[in-house]
Amino acid sequence: MARHFLLYWKLSKVEYHYYGAGLDHLASNQLGKVQPSDVIWVVTVRGGDLMLAGRMVVGLLTDASDADEVFDEFELKNPRWQVTAKPGTVEKMQLINLTELSVTMSLRFQSQSDRLRLTREGRLNPISLYNMRQLTDESAALLNYTWYDRRQGVEAVERVDIEEDAFIYAEGKEIRQTRTLRQR
């Protein structure tokens, strides 16, 4: 049975790769635990919201020493592991806001820290995404339903068209600080 993993990309990396055809290649030092037919879900954080950006079924896993033979047309930054999509499974990237769908806090992982953490303000703490994490079967099914817009257990899927959205960032809330200084 295929395992499902959550892999975090910075928003700038998602923006850069989104304009390509499909998610057919991934490179990361964290991919050593995946196997062919495993599924990697690429996520990012935008404005404190968890955004689902891509889905890839692993076809081929190579380490850095074999990557030159497989990826001779790419100039890579030498991460330790490279994966390509299983033939016939390449899917275009899209952005789906998992926080607005109340999916973020439903995600569970197969580890001691089995859920994502929140900041004091109640927003997603991106530190809980820095390591690739294996999803439980129930969470993988929830992401599949969300990705393919079947809406089982999910009320409405917000699909963001990046070309129209142009990644407009909202300013943070205003914070007023009062200081007390004492002179001696």
Side-chain angles (χ1 to χ4, degrees), residues 22-79:
L23 188 60
D24 60 354
H25 171 258
L26 289 170
S28 172
N29 291 332
Q30 299 181 39
L31 296 172
K33 55 183 155 183
V34 301
Q35 300 169 355
S37 297
D38 284 347
V39 177
I40 299 172
W41 295 94
V42 176
V43 295
T44 192
V45 176
R46 182 174 74 179
D49 290 343
L50 183 64
M51 306 294 289
L52 184 58
R55 178 184 186 276
M56 186 174 80
V57 178
V58 176
L60 176 67
L61 170 70
T62 58
D63 65 8
S65 62
D66 296 330
D68 289 338
E69 296 172 20
V70 178
F71 304 106
D72 57 356
E73 62 191 63
F74 296 104
E75 191 173 310
L76 301 172
K77 294 182 179 179
N78 296 327

Side-chain angles (χ1 to χ4, degrees), residues 99-117:
T99 302
E100 286 187 4
L101 298 173
S102 303
V103 171
T104 300
M105 297 317 296
S106 299
L107 296 177
R108 297 292 180 264
F109 305 96
Q110 294 185 2
S111 65
Q112 283 184 327
S113 178
D114 71 337
R115 60 193 71 195
L116 297 171
R117 299 189 187 276

Side-chain angles (χ1 to χ4, degrees), residues 67-177:
D68 289 338
E69 296 172 20
V70 178
F71 304 106
D72 57 356
E73 62 191 63
F74 296 104
E75 191 173 310
L76 301 172
K77 294 182 179 179
N78 296 327
R80 182 157 184 207
W81 301 102
Q82 315 280 330
V83 294
T84 57
K86 188 175 184 177
T89 65
V90 175
E91 298 181 59
K92 290 188 177 188
M93 294 178 71
Q94 56 185 323
L95 279 182
I96 301 171
N97 191 327
L98 297 177
T99 302
E100 286 187 4
L101 298 173
S102 303
V103 171
T104 300
M105 297 317 296
S106 299
L107 296 177
R108 297 292 180 264
F109 305 96
Q110 294 185 2
S111 65
Q112 283 184 327
S113 178
D114 71 337
R115 60 193 71 195
L116 297 171
R117 299 189 187 276
L118 298 178
T119 64
R120 291 183 188 151
E121 295 81 28
R123 305 301 280 174
L124 177 66
N125 186 345
I127 292 174
S128 61
L129 294 169
Y130 283 164
N131 291 318
M132 187 172 72
R133 301 178 69 181
Q134 184 175 348
L135 292 158
T136 63
D137 293 339
E138 295 81 15
S139 293
L142 180 58
L143 287 182
N144 268 321
Y145 287 129
T146 304
W147 184 256
Y148 294 111
D149 198 12
R150 295 194 181 154
R151 295 187 176 126
Q152 293 186 17
V154 179
E155 294 194 7
V157 176
E158 175 207 0
R159 296 193 189 278
V160 181
D161 185 354
I162 291 185
E163 293 174 341
E164 291 177 17
D165 187 46
F167 287 99
I168 298 170
Y169 298 93
E171 290 294 324
K173 67 179 181 178
E174 184 178 307
I175 298 173
R176 296 198 183 265
Q177 294 180 341

